[in-house]
Amino acid sequence: MRPVARVAAFLAAVSIPISAVRADEGMWTFDAFPAAKMRADYGWAPDQAWLDKVRAAAVRLTGGCSASFVSPSGLILTNHHCISSCLQDLSSAKTDYLKNGFNAATRAAEKLCPGQQAEVVTQIRDVTAEIKHATGNATGAAAVKARSAASAALESAGCPDTKTTRCQVVTLYGGGQYKLYTYRKYSDVRVVWAPEAAAPQFGGDPDNFNFPRYSLDAAFLRAYENGQPVNTPQHLAWAPRAPVVGEATFVVGNPGSTQRLLTQDQLAFSREISAPMNVTLYSELRGRLISAMKQSPARYREGKDELDSVENALKVYLGRQRAFNDPAFMGRLAEAERDLRAKSANNAAIGNPWSDISTATAAYRTIYVPYRFIQPTSDLYSYAATLVRAAAERAKPNGERLPGYSDSALPLLEKQLLDSKPIVPWLEQLYLEWSLSKAREYLGADDPDTRLLLGKESPEGLARRLVTGTRLADPAYRRALWNGGQAAIEASKDPLIVYARKLDPRYRELTEDFDERYQGPVTAAQAKLADARFAAYGDTIYPDATFTLRISYGKVAGWTERGRAVPPVTLMGGTFDRATGAEPFALPRGFIAAKAKIDPNTVYDFVTTNDIIGGNSGSPVIDRNGAVIGAAFDGNIHSIAGNYGYDGTQNRTVVVSADAIQEALEKIYPAPNIVAELGGR
């Protein structure tokens, strides 16, 4: 479940019947863990002390991944694919850390990951009353602005020390609840160990979202502060052992986004408009990348991580389309809405939120395409747009700014903008050409927004002019513009800054329209739907994923695929049996060199019934003793429909075992310092 690079996708869907929550379904918040439900299902459930301990060790990484502290000295376990962009950023033509791996023999050799931040939840506070009071009777864009202002005020009050803490107001149940999450943050995160890419990527795109898997998708980072490793006494114990079939497992992490609580009208929008568009767009982007990468070995190296992300995204969108075309699955979604409507028929307090959402969704259909394409895609353009927007927003009072530019959000925004990171010009040009040409295709050549985006230039010519003419690849230049504020932005003649200045008013206009006609009405309606669900089903429901800390429980178990039992584990020796000698099934060099040392019966990857989604990548998989037995890195192909609903008969989480990671640390890519640290020595 790779985080998707560069491209933001619009996704919408709905849930299976809330009244029929399966035994292992649910991405539960830590302040509402269903202990009684788990105890009824498993005969045991963790107590509050257990929950507090694992919560304190769970880590959220910027870029869309999860992780955990596994030593008292800030050592962090996550997935290799969660740090592949860091390895790529640190690499050069002479030193390719992504291809060859990274292994810091000493702490002095650990290298800073640009833009990375590690965050640990320290407090969750319900602020629903404050947010709803601030919103009052406001509607549309006015309601959105009132919520944003109230959120900004709560975040600033909750985290006056923005150097070490971060506060974030999170919307749950689509607007039914609001929680203030407080994080202890670590802005100096360094890579410690990562295997050569051929080990986690063995099987490539054919094996992605499939099982059996033979993937060493693991890596270690370390959090630093004031130049020293942080002290993390609340870390998880390391348990390099084979999983036991049927044993209870917990996944603790930050699932990114699900759409299990939306309506049939919103589902129709996704099925008819956004999902087909995503498949088309990513298919073409994949083709453009493959063609460009064939031009030279250097381009292949520079584009490989991007291609992996795009192929992962494309497989997700294709899987969601398959879910839309499954009559039984779609029937359950429709039944969910009928069930809630029936149970809410006599609840006059909620009115008719379904009708309100239907009206708003119809309006969204008219603005979706221009709103999606008004922001071209590339890292350089993102820098330009952020600088232009931040200069204007920072001049305003905190409560009047756009989301993402409040005082609480600015430190991370500044870090990601100013951290030194290599820019690959041909990739920047390719992404701009792709996004601009697709804008012209979907909007039409004569559309005013197309004319705004392109003027008299072609997508190719404009992209070439902007990329070759800009200085934004230089972090010192970005810093000068950031520090110079509005005056520096207005005086800049950098072509990308000029271009971003030209597009910004239209982006703000479309955002206002989106808030007025869709976001505002839908949030109000979803708050009523949340009240309806609570009235109908009590506390048995959980909120959609929001890239905030959650816990799911399940067990080690296979499933049945086309009448065939899929075993729950693979063994490391199977890597050699599966190898063909050709990519993506070529043996990693480390495996070839260490074949005689590797125990072929070591459990490599395994599957569980835990309910996860993208964003859970890197999450620790924990046993009932609170020890780490693996790291979640994928789901099976059936779990893609988990965006809309959970099916416990087939949805599976794919995990790299701690036993296999230990085997790699000892024999394949030896790191005795990490082995000693994990062992408490």
Side-chain angles (χ1 to χ4, degrees):
M1 291 186 178
R2 298 177 58 83
V4 179
R6 301 173 189 257
V7 184
F10 289 79
L11 304 169
V14 297
S15 72
I16 63 170
I18 295 296
S19 56
V21 172
R22 272 74 169 174
D24 297 338
E25 178 184 350
M27 304 173 193
W28 304 94
T29 57
F30 266 76
D31 55 350
F33 181 76
K37 179 177 178 293
M38 183 182 178
R39 194 172 294 109
D41 295 336
Y42 283 80
W44 176 85
D47 59 18
Q48 191 59 48
W50 190 101
L51 292 169
D52 290 343
K53 185 178 189 304
V54 301
R55 177 195 53 74
V59 175
R60 182 171 74 170
L61 299 175
T62 56
C65 276
S66 300
S68 57
F69 285 121
V70 288
S71 90
S73 299
L75 189 67
I76 297 171
L77 170 69
T78 190
N79 290 154
H80 179 277
H81 77 251
C82 291
I83 69 160
S84 60
S85 60
C86 167
L87 297 170
Q88 183 73 33
D89 290 343
L90 295 173
S91 295
S92 66
K94 293 183 179 180
T95 307
D96 191 339
Y97 293 123
L98 183 58
K99 179 181 178 181
N100 300 321
F102 181 88
N103 195 342
T106 65
R107 291 183 181 176
E110 296 169 2
K111 292 183 178 294
L112 178 72
C113 281
Q116 188 56 265
Q117 184 165 287
E119 301 174 338
V120 177
V121 173
T122 57
Q123 185 181 32
I124 303 172
R125 181 166 73 86
D126 193 318
V127 293
T128 306
E130 292 98 312
I131 296 292
K132 290 190 173 182
H133 175 75
T135 305
N137 296 320
T139 60
V144 175
K145 290 177 181 177
R147 278 193 295 272
S148 295
S151 296
L154 286 164
E155 290 166 355
S156 291
C159 291
D161 173 18
T162 58
K163 182 179 180 180
T164 61
T165 63
R166 179 186 179 198
C167 281
Q168 180 183 22
V169 172
V170 177
T171 303
L172 300 175
Y173 301 101
Q177 285 184 359
Y178 297 89
K179 300 288 181 73
L180 178 65
Y181 279 67
T182 303
Y183 295 91
R184 178 66 164 87
K185 68 178 186 180
Y186 304 97
S187 299
D188 182 348
V189 179
R190 308 181 193 183
V191 61
V192 177
W193 178 91
E196 59 181 314
Q201 295 174 4
F202 183 79
D205 189 53
D207 272 2
N208 189 26
F209 286 110
N210 283 295
F211 193 83
R213 290 293 294 272
Y214 298 85
S215 170
L216 188 63
D217 201 346
F220 290 95
L221 303 168
R222 193 183 307 278
Y224 280 75
E225 200 165 54
N226 300 320
Q228 298 297 320
V230 300
N231 183 33
T232 49
Q234 295 295 324
H235 63 276
L236 299 176
W238 181 248
R241 64 169 179 84
V244 178
V245 175
E247 74 168 302
T249 53
F250 301 85
V251 172
V252 177
N254 300 272
S257 175
T258 56
Q259 287 78 35
R260 298 182 181 183
L261 301 179
L262 304 185
T263 70
Q264 289 288 295
D265 286 294
Q266 291 167 309
L267 175 61
F269 171 86
S270 184
R271 182 181 67 245
E272 297 163 9
I273 297 179
S274 63
M277 189 182 293
N278 282 328
V279 170
T280 301
L281 292 172
Y282 277 83
S283 296
E284 180 170 325
L285 178 57
R286 178 178 182 268
R288 288 182 182 231
L289 278 167
I290 290 173
S291 177
M293 289 165 60
K294 287 180 178 179
Q295 295 179 21
S296 71
R299 285 199 169 192
Y300 181 86
R301 178 186 68 82
E302 292 165 340
K304 182 63 167 64
D305 189 49
E306 292 291 337
L307 179 61
D308 290 342
S309 291
V310 169
E311 288 185 330
N312 182 80
L314 180 57
K315 186 165 281 191
V316 167
Y317 302 136
L318 287 168
R320 292 179 181 180
Q321 277 203 321
R322 282 193 295 271
F324 289 142
N325 294 323
D326 181 342
F329 186 76
M330 296 303 292
R332 291 198 298 272
L333 303 183
E335 177 58 30
E337 186 164 307
R338 287 194 295 270
D339 185 65
L340 182 58
R341 281 177 180 260
K343 285 181 167 60
S344 306
N346 296 320
N347 188 346
I350 70 164
N352 191 350
W354 295 277
S355 177
D356 296 338
I357 289 175
S358 180
T359 299
T361 304
Y364 191 29
R365 287 173 178 260
T366 68
I367 62 174
Y368 174 73
V369 172
Y371 192 37
R372 176 170 186 146
F373 287 108
I374 197 60
Q375 296 286 278
T377 301
S378 89
D379 284 347
L380 286 172
Y381 180 79
S382 179
Y383 287 151
T386 298
L387 284 163
V388 168
R389 210 160 292 145
E393 296 305 308
R394 289 160 66 201
K396 300 176 183 177
N398 187 41
E400 296 179 13
R401 298 176 193 167
L402 288 173
Y405 294 87
S406 64
D407 287 341
S408 62
L410 283 177
L412 179 57
L413 183 71
E414 181 178 5
K415 173 180 172 58
Q416 293 178 323
L417 177 72
L418 302 183
D419 273 8
S420 180
K421 174 184 175 181
I423 292 293
V424 182
W426 72 264
L427 271 173
E428 294 297 306
Q429 192 167 322
L430 182 148
Y431 270 90
L432 277 173
E433 289 176 0
W434 165 73
S435 62
L436 290 168
S437 67
K438 293 294 98 180
R440 183 176 62 183
E441 177 182 325
Y442 279 91
L443 289 165
D446 296 322
D447 187 271
D449 285 318
T450 303
R451 292 176 178 173
L452 178 66
L453 285 162
L454 292 175
K456 295 289 187 179
E457 297 179 89
S458 67
E460 295 75 19
L462 177 58
R464 182 170 53 253
R465 178 175 69 82
L466 293 175
V467 172
T468 58
T470 187
R471 295 173 56 194
L472 290 176
D474 179 0
Y477 182 63
R478 299 196 299 270
R479 182 176 294 279
L481 289 173
W482 176 270
N483 292 339
Q486 190 68 36
I489 293 298
E490 290 176 354
S492 175
K493 296 181 180 179
D494 185 280
L496 261 173
I497 295 294
V498 173
Y499 186 59
R501 287 202 311 255
K502 182 177 76 167
L503 297 185
D504 191 57
R506 179 57 174 157
Y507 167 79
R508 291 174 182 273
E509 179 184 351
L510 286 167
T511 299
E512 181 86 7
D513 199 18
F514 172 77
D515 289 346
E516 177 66 29
R517 302 170 64 194
Y518 183 77
Q519 184 66 22
V522 164
T523 302
Q526 287 178 160
K528 293 179 180 178
L529 285 175
D531 292 341
R533 290 188 178 97
F534 289 131
Y537 310 122
D539 61 358
T540 64
I541 61 173
Y542 55 90
D544 265 322
T546 53
F547 196 46
T548 50
L549 189 62
R550 305 292 178 89
I551 179 170
S552 71
Y553 66 85
K555 60 180 176 294
V556 178
W559 77 98
T560 301
E561 181 78 25
R562 294 192 290 273
R564 178 179 62 87
V566 179
V569 304
T570 60
L571 304 179
M572 291 195 84
T575 311
F576 299 94
D577 298 332
R578 195 176 178 81
T580 65
E583 295 294 342
F585 295 99
L587 281 171
R589 287 175 297 176
F591 277 64
I592 295 172
K595 183 176 181 180
K597 302 177 184 177
I598 297 170
D599 180 354
N601 294 315
T602 300
V603 171
Y604 201 170
D605 298 332
F606 64 96
V607 290
T608 74
T609 62
N610 291 87
D611 189 4
I612 69 165
I613 202 76
N616 273 121
S617 288
S619 296
V621 178
I622 302 169
D623 63 15
R624 65 180 292 171
N625 296 319
V628 176
I629 61 171
F633 71 93
D634 204 359
N636 65 356
I637 199 71
H638 309 288
S639 71
I640 293 176
N643 185 62
Y644 316 135
Y646 174 83
D647 180 357
T649 64
Q650 292 190 308
N651 287 28
R652 292 295 181 270
T653 292
V654 184
V655 186
V656 57
S657 77
D659 205 12
I661 299 170
Q662 184 85 10
E663 189 80 353
L665 290 169
E666 292 180 353
K667 302 173 183 177
I668 308 173
Y669 310 103
N673 52 325
I674 300 178
V675 171
E677 186 172 354
L678 290 170
R681 302 192 298 276

